[in-house]
Amino acid sequence: MEILDDYFAGTMPASEKRKMFEALRTDNAARAEFIRIQNAKALTGLYPCNGDATYAARMRQDLMRQFGAKRTRRIIAEVMKYAAIIVLIAVNAWLLYNRNSEDKIVLQNIIEAPEGQHVHITFADGTEAWLSPRTVVKSPERFGKKERLIELDGEGFFSVAKDQRRPFIVRTGQYDVKALGTRFNVFAYSASPRFETNLVEGKVAVVAHDNPDSPIILSPGHSVIFKNDIMRLTSTPFDNEDYLKKGIFTFRNKPLVDILDYLSLWYNINFEIETSLPLDRLYSGKVRQSDDVKVILKALQDIHPFNFNEISEKSIRIY
């Protein structure tokens, strides 16, 4: 489409841009073509350049000499795994027309952590986040003048850059977590009835969307948990920061059903638990989020015996 060519060539005036984005709202074919071109431009930096093939072949030969064929294949597989995450982030970049921002065009980034993998990202203001598997974060390319707002579906540990004038807000399905400069964890998968915020440093306000005038203020070492409309405040220190940053899940005195809830969210697996299985036994240990789910279950079996079998690729029976 000629109008899209003008936009991506940078020759379209601002008035025409507004008209184009209005048209994209109702024209599915034009919107699909816009996304295709935008994705191609986003991935331009990943396209091979002249001489890349020769250089890559030479590097592969050097690796083979240093580490051997088997280890080299494993190294390349690890690199490709993270390259896939980079591509996923780039492909999900999407330009949105925002009516509520004085007709400005906002670049909205969508970052997804794949099943069984964790992702580390840095936002435009320097705030860092470590995302657990199957977590989705939406954030603007540039934050506004009054606030730094992102959307979270999943779990993330945040180290917020200080900015007294602009609060950093993590928006989830039912609650907002507001901070100025602090470190905290948010658990808020849309597929789970549980919401949890753990504060490590600074101060945060947890605000319910349906009750914005009654925020819950947390101080370091405190947590708030909502599950099935029941709120629980705890003063247990959050000591899982280092583990989350490295993609390691630590659990202390947790019942099996709680651990299976995590695994279900991380791997998109349904667990069928037999009623005869004792569910009051407590488990303590740590596992890598990147481990295969069957490896994790076998490790749990060493703590308290139980059995499991794979019903299908996404369903496991626990008995």
Side-chain angles (χ1 to χ4, degrees):
M1 296 177 64
E2 185 176 349
I3 188 172
L4 294 183
D5 293 339
D6 291 342
Y7 172 79
F8 286 107
T11 58
M12 180 182 289
S15 59
E16 292 300 316
K17 289 180 183 179
R18 288 194 289 271
K19 293 179 183 178
M20 182 193 73
F21 277 97
E22 287 291 350
L24 290 179
R25 292 179 180 276
T26 56
D27 190 332
N28 293 334
R31 186 164 62 250
E33 179 65 8
F34 181 93
I35 294 173
R36 185 191 68 78
I37 297 174
Q38 176 63 28
N39 287 344
K41 289 179 70 65
L43 291 171
T44 298
L46 299 176
Y47 288 160
C49 301
N50 292 335
D52 278 0
T54 303
Y55 179 74
R58 187 168 69 249
M59 290 298 294
R60 183 183 178 94
Q61 290 174 357
D62 291 342
L63 282 171
M64 295 279 258
R65 284 195 297 269
Q66 292 182 51
F67 301 111
K70 185 175 181 180
R71 189 176 175 193
T72 297
R73 284 193 293 269
R74 188 168 68 248
I75 292 171
I76 293 174
E78 281 294 302
V79 171
M80 291 305 297
K81 177 179 70 177
Y82 290 102
I85 294 174
I86 295 171
V87 171
L88 183 63
I89 294 172
V91 168
N92 278 302
W94 161 244
L95 279 173
L96 296 177
Y97 178 65
N98 188 346
R99 292 175 181 268
N100 300 319
S101 62
E102 301 177 348
D103 291 342
K104 292 180 181 178
I105 298 169
V106 179
L107 181 61
Q108 188 81 6
N109 297 307
I110 303 177
I111 301 99
E112 300 183 37
E115 291 180 10
Q117 301 296 330
H118 72 288
V119 174
H120 171 235
I121 58 176
T122 302
F123 297 102
D125 66 330
T127 292
E128 294 182 90
W130 291 261
L131 309 180
S132 289
R134 297 186 68 228
T135 292
V136 179
V137 165
K138 298 179 182 179
S139 69
E141 183 186 46
R142 296 178 181 175
F143 290 118
K145 295 180 179 179
K146 296 181 179 180
E147 64 182 19
R148 297 169 287 167
L149 175 66
I150 69 160
E151 297 178 37
L152 171 76
D153 183 349
E155 182 179 26
F157 184 88
F158 296 87
S159 180
V160 177
K162 295 184 183 299
D163 188 337
Q164 297 296 323
R165 296 177 300 173
R166 298 184 301 166
F168 188 91
I169 303 173
V170 179
R171 176 153 294 167
T172 69
Q174 291 182 285
Y175 304 93
D176 288 353
V177 181
K178 296 185 178 182
L180 292 175
T182 182
R183 304 202 322 276
F184 60 96
N185 194 70
V186 179
F187 179 98
Y189 284 90
S190 59
S192 172
R194 183 164 67 91
F195 168 90
E196 181 173 347
T197 295
N198 317 91
L199 180 62
V200 175
E201 179 183 271
K203 183 183 291 186
V204 298
V206 180
V207 183
H209 295 171
D210 58 1
N211 190 16
D213 296 327
S214 300
I216 298 170
I217 308 299
L218 295 182
S219 54
H222 289 76
S223 305
V224 62
I225 302 169
F226 290 92
K227 187 172 183 180
N228 299 325
D229 295 326
I230 298 175
M231 182 188 76
R232 182 161 58 94
L233 290 168
T234 70
S235 58
T236 304
F238 184 77
D239 56 0
N240 217 12
E241 176 179 354
D242 289 339
Y243 291 114
L244 279 174
K245 289 181 177 180
K246 298 173 184 177
I248 299 175
F249 173 56
T250 301
F251 48 94
R252 294 180 181 83
N253 297 321
K254 282 189 176 293
L256 180 63
V257 66
D258 285 1
I259 299 173
L260 294 179
D261 282 345
Y262 278 102
L263 299 181
S264 177
L265 294 169
W266 292 342
Y267 297 94
N268 193 25
I269 288 178
N270 176 57
F271 290 100
E272 297 183 10
I273 305 173
E274 289 201 355
T275 55
S276 59
L277 185 70
L279 297 179
D280 57 345
R281 293 173 175 172
L282 301 180
Y283 293 73
S284 297
K286 60 183 178 181
V287 296
R288 290 191 178 277
Q289 292 174 327
S290 58
D291 284 344
D292 184 85
V293 65
K294 293 187 286 293
V295 172
I296 295 175
L297 290 175
K298 288 177 181 178
L300 293 173
Q301 283 179 320
D302 293 336
I303 302 174
H304 293 300
F306 63 88
N307 298 303
F308 71 90
N309 67 284
E310 196 171 23
I311 300 173
S312 65
E313 184 180 357
K314 292 296 183 181
S315 183
I316 293 178
R317 174 171 164 256
I318 307 290
Y319 60 99

